[in-house]
Amino acid sequence: MPIYEPPIRDLQFVLHDVLNLPATGLPGHEDLDRDFTEAVLEAAGKLAAEVLAPLNRVGDSQGCRLENGVVRTPDGFGAAFAQVKEGGWTALDCDPEYGGQGMPYVIGVATGELFVSANMAFNMYQGLTHGAYSAIHAHGTDAQKRTYLPKMVSCDWTGTMNLTEPHCGTDLGLLRTKAEPQEDGSYLITGQKIFISAGDHDMAENVIHLVLAKAPGGGEGTKGISLFIVPKFLVNEDGSLGARNGVSVGALEHKMGIHGNATCVMNYDGAKGWLLGDLHKGMRAMFTMMNEARLGVGLQGYACAVPAYQNAAAYARDRLQGRSVTGVSNPNGAADPLIVHPDIRRSLMDQRSFLEGARALALWGAHLIDRSHLADDADAEGLVSLLTPVIKGFLTDKGFDTTVLAQQVLGGHGYVEEWGMSQFVRDARITMIYEGANGVQALDLVGRKLAQDGGKHVMAFFEMIKSFCKEQSANEAVAADYIEPLKAASKDLQAAAMFFMERGMKSPNDALAGSYDFMHLFGHVTLGYMWARMAVAAQAAQAAGTGDAAFLKTKLATARYYMTRQLPMTATHLARIRSGAEPVMALEAEAF
Amino acid sequence: MPIYEPPIRDLQFVLHDVLNLPATGLPGHEDLDRDFTEAVLEAAGKLAAEVLAPLNRVGDSQGCRLENGVVRTPDGFGAAFAQVKEGGWTALDCDPEYGGQGMPYVIGVATGELFVSANMAFNMYQGLTHGAYSAIHAHGTDAQKRTYLPKMVSCDWTGTMNLTEPHCGTDLGLLRTKAEPQEDGSYLITGQKIFISAGDHDMAENVIHLVLAKAPGGGEGTKGISLFIVPKFLVNEDGSLGARNGVSVGALEHKMGIHGNATCVMNYDGAKGWLLGDLHKGMRAMFTMMNEARLGVGLQGYACAVPAYQNAAAYARDRLQGRSVTGVSNPNGAADPLIVHPDIRRSLMDQRSFLEGARALALWGAHLIDRSHLADDADAEGLVSLLTPVIKGFLTDKGFDTTVLAQQVLGGHGYVEEWGMSQFVRDARITMIYEGANGVQALDLVGRKLAQDGGKHVMAFFEMIKSFCKEQSANEAVAADYIEPLKAASKDLQAAAMFFMERGMKSPNDALAGSYDFMHLFGHVTLGYMWARMAVAAQAAQAAGTGDAAFLKTKLATARYYMTRQLPMTATHLARIRSGAEPVMALEAEAF
């Protein structure tokens, strides 16, 4: 069975040494000190490693089954779900008014990494519920909140998001599901939705579907779309469950991965639904939670790769194969362990330098969301809005690549299912697709976020990097190794943004043809910035003689690796961007 | 069901316009003109598209079953195998003395692409047989050849290669399977082999295993290894089948992909075997066919991605989603097809510019092997020996990446198994692993091939590029767009080779830490060279007014895309290489 060790120390390092959690202005959360978060993370890590991780391969090999209209989850999922609920983990960052524990989102993300790493498919039942909770919390009437939120906070009832239809996913303007208004103020929802994660299962009493549909009078395209609450079982006045609603599972999808999660075709046959938020403003309501939802998928992207890396590293330390060229390292063995070989190191360093940078970025993003919600920090909101497509697109692309690198370390053993490496790859693959395919993230970044509020946020981002570099340039212990490479990479990013500004107005395709490269270029600069901040923090602790010396030394060496071996990629992205649209669009559509 | 259209025109373009087949000195094959190869490719393509491709998903979803010690292949495989045999396709490039058709290897590779694209798992039963055939053909006694080859050429008997054991794959010096000499000159083979592709099945009368094992007196490590012929059924003097030998299938591996191929654990319990080639020289015998076998896997790497690309392109032309930013392209539809979007084009162009370059490289490599065998061309042999790790490592890495890109075009539909895109990804993944994992290819390239014969072959490679560029620099129609970028990329490759020479002697880790980047840098330069040659050929045909004008225009535009958007990657690889071993080896093994 694959191993999984919760990286508590790395999470703590980011929360405290880098983000300086209790002191960074999250009103009401000044008590989140090292000891407190350590206790939370230890408890979450124990549950993740001991209960959820052992069920990861079970979920993959058994999958979900549709039996007489009821979805059965894999063996052990139900009992584990009960433990997650009992531990209060579903309520962690929810509103105390509805039974939540009121912790900031950044703590939800930190514990979320542990749960996702242990068992991504399992964690989605809760994750989707959290998304639906947030939507009702933000847009529901008081009555709706009282009816649904307490049960969703506890995960007695779980939630779903219903967007995609067979003929449309990204372009929701094309959707056909209808909502017919009834005299009692409710609607009858009719249509088919596909790819509905956690669409049905046997671990909760009720499932609360949030469904995008078209009500009369809303006009064409996305303008006519509204969001509806459609419970699997209708809820009586007293909160008890009533009749079965007209919604059913048409089929389970057979997928490449996340087999433990029930991905459903949902059929709505005149199901009773209630408007959530304003009529014809469903897209807006759905996308209020977008930053959070997309950050959550970015988190999945790298979290899925964390155990992949850990298993690759363990195998490389253990497996004897070949001899070191610089002299035998294991004279009593028949061969040296794989880890002596430079190319195995190259792979492991690529993996860990990405993962630790990604963790810092996800937690920083969550912290910015907290700042925007708890401290009404408009700059933080603007910044995280800019970073969201980068977090989603870059972390999931690179997270997937990382699982592939990790799988490769095991050779043939990586390809057979027994070792679990194939599952990490297959599970990670979905994160590049759902919650807006990564090409759509790139489009969002270049087509919308760059110019948002007159380009204010991207300018603020550049300014932030610039002043950080200026500040640290005098710090000789970090300037050459960490600050100079960041400066150079940031220059490439600015040059790319400039290219878009100059060319994009006249010829939008020139910007769009480079959008994917730009997203990756932006991702590298952002991870470079994270690594520079981590290096500064590690060096400061080292100088002060605080912290674990070996841990800090490793952090600094890993930072140097990222700067030296990953950041040079910005030059290639810039060169691709500068070639513009011509080579990309040269062929006629028929030539493909 | 996924589509598959055999790319006959592209194959013909490489064979004739680029390699100039009948005129390029393959003695005895001067008659391989355009019409002849067209007829062969059309027939192979018809079989591939109509018989093998429809069984690809069947093989994936059913897999193989082990029933009472007998491996059952998926429905339809047996009948299809009979058709392949009847068509003479298993005998195409085999020796006429044993029933082969005597065509050069390059024709086997060209038709092989079609068969692999249609159904990789199925084609492996034949592919492995061909490898075993080659080994016996090269090293067998006359009696062995007469006994086994005719039946293997016809695939009445199939073959396998048995190298890997549970504790060793790459480092075969560690293997434990024993061969005990008997008085009659045979050996008794005892041990366990794993990951044996096509290890057993129900489509052939007999399976001829080639097994690496240790016979007494050979010494430690790889020196003591010999190669043995171990038939599933013993063969009587008259060629009829005798008793069952002591070899059995212990289990079938559960794999990420290639489910249609039976990957077996093989148990040898005192099985009767006969030495193939010289005692204690088994590694040499096994690796005589290495260039061919590794080229075959490189071929799989890209061939697997060909239908992935075709299905992505078809989906992008068909699926309506969003509107073009430069003006509505499909005013009568609810939306424009995906293919109007620059980022979809970027993906499709990345895919096709790789695939067409890869095809040229594989065919060129096969042609060099033919030159070395048929014309005793030592330069061709040296060159293909240098290129082999690049063909295997680069084409499989990029082939896999290409399947992932293709899958992404379909969004959620790419992730569900129904559309077949997941299978392309899962199948392609193995090619990076078997026949020497790609890290081992990089090590072979940098640690062995660069310095082989005093560096003669790599110098010849640089010289070849240089003189080609010089020759074409005067050709204004191609110089700026195709020759200059190739020159720049080649300069990066030379700089990297120089870095290794200067640093590698003192510090071998400096070379090995950059070996993977070097393999990819070499791959890009080689594909750049292929594209430059294709551009020159296309431009010449265009100028002469021969050939299909639209096809040639597309070829030139795709060449330009590769030069503009792929070749800049060489700079990043060079930067990574130049950073040496320090960042890679900085951590203690315990820190991972």
Side-chain angles (χ1 to χ4, degrees):
Chain A
M1 199 177 70
I3 58 163
Y4 174 57
E5 289 174 38
I8 311 289
R9 199 161 54 163
D10 290 275
L11 285 163
Q12 285 280 81
F13 177 75
V14 176
L15 290 177
H16 297 284
D17 296 86
V18 180
L19 297 178
N20 200 2
L21 199 55
T24 43
L26 298 185
H29 297 288
E30 293 78 5
D31 56 343
L32 286 177
D33 64 10
R34 236 175 246 271
D35 288 347
F36 181 84
T37 59
E38 176 100 12
V40 172
L41 293 171
E42 284 288 353
K46 194 174 150 65
L47 180 65
E50 295 177 8
V51 179
L52 308 189
L55 294 174
N56 199 35
R57 282 208 63 222
V58 176
D60 186 60
S61 56
Q62 291 187 5
C64 295
R65 302 183 313 281
L66 182 61
E67 288 176 359
N68 305 320
V70 179
V71 175
R72 304 286 172 204
T73 50
D75 292 347
F77 270 41
F81 201 64
Q83 272 189 267
V84 171
K85 287 163 59 176
E86 276 160 30
W89 297 106
T90 66
L92 201 69
D93 57 353
C94 295
D95 188 344
E97 199 175 329
Y98 304 103
Q101 299 190 35
M103 291 206 203
Y105 180 55
V106 69
I107 301 297
V109 167
T111 55
E113 181 197 304
L114 305 173
F115 296 139
V116 172
S117 291
N119 196 327
M120 173 165 143
F122 175 88
N123 194 62
M124 287 172 67
Y125 293 99
Q126 168 187 350
L128 271 296
T129 308
H130 196 283
Y133 155 88
S134 296
I136 296 174
H137 192 266
H139 299 285
T141 63
D142 283 346
Q144 287 172 336
K145 291 192 207 179
R146 278 195 310 273
T147 304
Y148 298 107
L149 294 189
K151 292 287 193 182
M152 293 174 79
V153 165
S154 66
C155 270
D156 289 332
W157 301 354
T158 63
T160 72
M161 298 289 204
N162 288 241
L163 290 78
T164 305
E165 300 186 2
H167 63 291
C168 73
T170 301
D171 188 355
L172 290 168
L174 304 176
L175 67 79
R176 294 177 190 149
T177 297
K178 277 186 202 154
E180 298 166 74
Q182 305 298 300
E183 295 202 345
D184 65 355
S186 71
Y187 289 77
L188 292 188
I189 312 291
T190 302
Q192 190 178 60
K193 296 286 182 178
I194 61 170
F195 304 155
I196 307 308
S197 298
D200 195 37
H201 58 93
D202 53 5
M203 303 191 298
E205 300 157 11
N206 203 3
V207 182
I208 310 305
H209 302 288
L210 299 193
V211 184
L212 286 183
K214 286 192 170 172
E220 289 298 301
T222 53
K223 291 192 200 90
I225 295 174
S226 304
L227 185 59
F228 298 90
I229 301 177
V230 186
K232 175 178 170 182
F233 290 101
L234 298 174
V235 182
N236 298 321
E237 288 284 321
D238 64 355
S240 65
L241 295 186
R244 187 74 150 82
N245 202 354
V247 48
S248 59
V249 179
L252 287 178
E253 306 280 5
H254 298 281
K255 311 181 299 291
M256 185 177 183
I258 52 167
H259 295 162
N261 198 273
T263 307
C264 301
V265 174
M266 300 300 304
N267 292 326
Y268 293 87
D269 301 303
K272 229 168 156 58
W274 289 268
L275 188 66
L276 176 62
D278 295 333
L279 187 66
H280 307 319
K281 305 242 166 103
M283 291 297 284
R284 197 190 294 173
M286 192 57 123
F287 287 128
T288 314
M289 284 68 53
M290 196 164 66
N291 289 345
E292 212 178 291
R294 292 185 169 179
L295 191 147
V297 176
L299 169 77
Q300 287 185 324
Y302 85 81
C304 205
V306 168
Y309 162 74
Q310 291 181 352
N311 283 280
Y315 186 88
R317 281 194 306 261
D318 187 55
R319 175 88 168 178
L320 303 182
Q321 209 84 175
R323 289 291 187 188
S324 167
V325 288
T326 55
V328 169
S329 88
N330 177 34
N332 299 324
D336 289 341
L338 275 181
I339 204 161
V340 304
H341 301 299
D343 188 60
I344 294 289
R345 290 293 185 108
R346 184 264 321 161
S347 169
L348 293 175
M349 291 301 292
D350 274 351
Q351 294 171 50
R352 68 181 292 153
S353 66
F354 163 71
L355 290 174
E356 295 176 27
R359 175 177 296 125
L361 175 55
L363 292 175
W364 180 45
H367 191 258
L368 289 171
I369 289 179
D370 281 330
R371 285 276 316 157
S372 75
H373 289 168
L374 301 172
D376 280 330
D377 182 340
D379 291 343
E381 189 175 357
L383 186 54
V384 78
S385 165
L386 173 72
L387 290 174
T388 293
V390 178
I391 292 174
K392 198 284 182 180
F394 186 69
L395 296 195
T396 60
D397 276 359
K398 291 287 174 186
F400 173 74
D401 289 349
T402 300
T403 61
V404 173
L405 281 172
Q407 181 186 32
Q408 187 74 14
V409 172
L410 278 79
H413 297 286
Y415 195 68
V416 296
E417 295 294 346
E418 190 182 348
W419 288 73
M421 303 303 284
S422 162
Q423 185 186 354
F424 296 131
V425 174
R426 291 183 289 99
D427 286 358
R429 184 67 185 85
I430 189 59
T431 66
M432 297 157 70
I433 296 172
Y434 63 19
E435 199 58 39
N438 286 356
V440 174
Q441 304 298 328
L443 182 64
D444 178 47
L445 177 64
V446 170
R448 238 167 56 85
K449 299 296 175 64
L450 274 191
Q452 205 169 28
D453 299 326
K456 184 177 149 188
H457 309 300
V458 72
M459 298 311 289
F461 176 82
F462 287 135
E463 190 52 41
M464 180 187 64
I465 304 266
K466 198 176 145 191
S467 55
F468 171 81
C469 288
K470 204 172 160 187
E471 201 180 292
Q472 295 298 331
S473 287
N475 181 351
E476 277 183 27
V478 297
D481 282 355
Y482 309 105
I483 305 304
E484 287 304 318
L486 173 60
K487 264 192 208 167
S490 174
K491 222 174 111 185
D492 285 345
L493 183 63
Q494 291 188 55
M498 190 60 70
F499 175 85
F500 287 162
M501 271 190 264
E502 287 169 7
R503 298 275 286 267
M505 296 297 281
K506 274 179 296 187
S507 159
N509 277 354
D510 272 330
L512 297 181
S515 59
Y516 213 88
D517 283 282
F518 189 77
M519 179 173 77
H520 274 248
L521 174 44
F522 210 131
H524 276 298
V525 171
T526 312
L527 249 62
Y529 174 58
M530 290 293 106
W531 268 119
R533 285 182 63 176
M534 288 194 278
V536 166
Q539 193 278 327
Q542 209 177 46
T546 57
D548 177 331
F551 176 81
L552 297 172
K553 196 180 147 204
T554 296
K555 204 55 91 179
L556 285 162
T558 311
R560 210 161 63 246
Y561 185 91
Y562 196 86
M563 298 300 178
T564 318
R565 310 258 314 181
Q566 297 292 2
L567 274 190
M569 194 59 209
T570 59
T572 294
H573 288 305
L574 179 59
R576 283 172 64 104
I577 289 165
R578 279 185 167 151
S579 70
E582 195 283 328
V584 176
M585 304 300 285
L587 300 190
E588 303 298 321
E590 300 72 43
F592 286 89
Chain B
M1 198 178 73
I3 58 164
Y4 174 59
E5 287 174 40
I8 309 290
R9 201 162 52 165
D10 290 275
L11 285 163
Q12 286 279 81
F13 177 74
V14 177
L15 290 176
H16 297 285
D17 296 86
V18 180
L19 298 178
N20 199 2
L21 199 56
T24 44
L26 298 185
H29 297 287
E30 293 77 6
D31 54 344
L32 287 178
D33 64 11
R34 237 176 245 272
D35 288 346
F36 181 83
T37 59
E38 176 101 13
V40 172
L41 292 171
E42 285 288 353
K46 192 173 151 68
L47 180 64
E50 295 177 8
V51 179
L52 308 189
L55 294 174
N56 199 34
R57 282 209 62 224
V58 175
D60 186 60
S61 56
Q62 293 187 4
C64 294
R65 303 184 312 282
L66 181 61
E67 288 176 0
N68 305 319
V70 179
V71 176
R72 304 285 174 204
T73 50
D75 293 347
F77 270 41
F81 201 65
Q83 271 188 270
V84 170
K85 287 163 60 176
E86 277 159 30
W89 297 107
T90 65
L92 201 68
D93 57 353
C94 295
D95 187 344
E97 198 174 330
Y98 304 104
Q101 298 190 36
M103 290 205 205
Y105 180 56
V106 69
I107 301 297
V109 167
T111 55
E113 181 197 306
L114 305 173
F115 296 139
V116 172
S117 291
N119 196 326
M120 175 166 141
F122 175 88
N123 195 63
M124 288 170 67
Y125 293 99
Q126 169 186 350
L128 270 296
T129 308
H130 196 282
Y133 154 87
S134 296
I136 296 174
H137 192 265
H139 300 285
T141 62
D142 282 346
Q144 286 172 335
K145 292 191 207 179
R146 277 194 312 271
T147 303
Y148 298 108
L149 294 188
K151 292 287 192 180
M152 294 175 78
V153 166
S154 65
C155 270
D156 289 333
W157 300 353
T158 63
T160 72
M161 296 289 202
N162 288 240
L163 290 77
T164 305
E165 298 185 4
H167 63 288
C168 74
T170 301
D171 188 355
L172 291 167
L174 304 175
L175 68 78
R176 294 179 190 149
T177 298
K178 276 187 203 155
E180 298 166 75
Q182 305 298 300
E183 295 202 346
D184 66 356
S186 71
Y187 289 78
L188 292 188
I189 311 291
T190 301
Q192 189 179 62
K193 296 288 181 176
I194 62 170
F195 304 155
I196 307 308
S197 299
D200 194 36
H201 58 93
D202 53 6
M203 304 191 296
E205 300 157 11
N206 203 1
V207 181
I208 310 305
H209 303 288
L210 299 194
V211 184
L212 285 183
K214 287 192 171 172
E220 289 298 299
T222 52
K223 290 193 201 92
I225 296 175
S226 305
L227 184 59
F228 297 91
I229 301 176
V230 185
K232 175 179 171 183
F233 290 100
L234 299 175
V235 182
N236 298 321
E237 289 283 321
D238 65 355
S240 64
L241 295 185
R244 187 76 147 82
N245 203 352
V247 49
S248 59
V249 179
L252 286 178
E253 305 280 5
H254 299 282
K255 312 180 300 287
M256 185 177 183
I258 51 167
H259 296 162
N261 198 274
T263 308
C264 301
V265 175
M266 299 301 304
N267 292 327
Y268 293 86
D269 303 302
K272 228 168 157 59
W274 288 269
L275 188 66
L276 177 59
D278 294 334
L279 187 66
H280 307 319
K281 304 246 168 95
M283 291 298 282
R284 196 190 296 171
M286 192 59 122
F287 286 130
T288 312
M289 285 69 52
M290 195 164 66
N291 288 344
E292 210 178 293
R294 292 186 167 177
L295 191 146
V297 176
L299 169 77
Q300 287 185 323
Y302 85 83
C304 205
V306 168
Y309 161 75
Q310 290 182 352
N311 283 279
Y315 187 87
R317 281 194 307 260
D318 186 54
R319 175 90 168 176
L320 303 183
Q321 209 84 174
R323 289 291 187 189
S324 167
V325 289
T326 54
V328 169
S329 88
N330 177 32
N332 299 324
D336 289 341
L338 276 180
I339 203 160
V340 303
H341 301 298
D343 188 60
I344 295 289
R345 290 294 185 107
R346 183 261 325 158
S347 169
L348 293 174
M349 291 302 292
D350 273 351
Q351 293 170 50
R352 69 181 291 152
S353 66
F354 163 71
L355 290 173
E356 295 176 26
R359 176 177 295 124
L361 175 54
L363 292 175
W364 181 45
H367 191 257
L368 289 170
I369 290 178
D370 281 330
R371 284 277 314 158
S372 75
H373 289 168
L374 300 173
D376 280 328
D377 181 340
D379 292 342
E381 189 174 356
L383 186 54
V384 79
S385 165
L386 174 72
L387 289 174
T388 292
V390 178
I391 292 174
K392 198 284 183 181
F394 185 70
L395 297 195
T396 59
D397 276 359
K398 292 286 172 185
F400 173 73
D401 290 349
T402 300
T403 62
V404 173
L405 281 172
Q407 181 186 31
Q408 187 73 11
V409 172
L410 277 78
H413 297 287
Y415 196 68
V416 295
E417 295 294 346
E418 190 183 346
W419 288 72
M421 303 304 283
S422 162
Q423 184 187 353
F424 296 131
V425 174
R426 292 183 289 97
D427 285 358
R429 184 66 184 87
I430 189 59
T431 65
M432 297 156 71
I433 296 172
Y434 62 20
E435 198 58 40
N438 286 356
V440 175
Q441 303 298 327
L443 181 64
D444 178 47
L445 177 64
V446 170
R448 240 168 54 88
K449 298 297 175 65
L450 274 190
Q452 206 170 29
D453 300 327
K456 183 176 150 190
H457 309 301
V458 72
M459 299 311 289
F461 176 81
F462 287 135
E463 191 51 42
M464 179 187 64
I465 304 265
K466 197 174 144 192
S467 56
F468 171 80
C469 288
K470 202 169 159 191
E471 200 181 293
Q472 296 298 331
S473 289
N475 181 352
E476 278 182 28
V478 298
D481 283 355
Y482 309 105
I483 305 305
E484 287 306 317
L486 173 61
K487 263 192 210 167
S490 173
K491 222 175 111 185
D492 285 344
L493 183 64
Q494 290 186 57
M498 191 61 70
F499 175 86
F500 288 161
M501 270 189 265
E502 285 167 8
R503 297 274 287 267
M505 296 297 282
K506 273 180 294 187
S507 158
N509 276 355
D510 272 331
L512 297 182
S515 60
Y516 213 88
D517 283 282
F518 189 78
M519 180 174 74
H520 274 249
L521 173 45
F522 210 132
H524 277 298
V525 171
T526 312
L527 249 60
Y529 174 57
M530 290 294 106
W531 269 120
R533 285 182 63 176
M534 287 194 279
V536 167
Q539 194 276 329
Q542 209 177 45
T546 56
D548 177 332
F551 175 82
L552 297 172
K553 196 179 146 205
T554 297
K555 205 52 91 181
L556 285 163
T558 311
R560 210 162 63 247
Y561 184 91
Y562 196 86
M563 298 300 177
T564 318
R565 309 259 313 181
Q566 299 291 4
L567 273 191
M569 195 58 209
T570 58
T572 294
H573 288 305
L574 178 59
R576 284 173 62 104
I577 288 165
R578 280 185 168 150
S579 70
E582 195 283 329
V584 176
M585 304 301 285
L587 300 190
E588 303 298 320
E590 300 73 42
F592 285 90

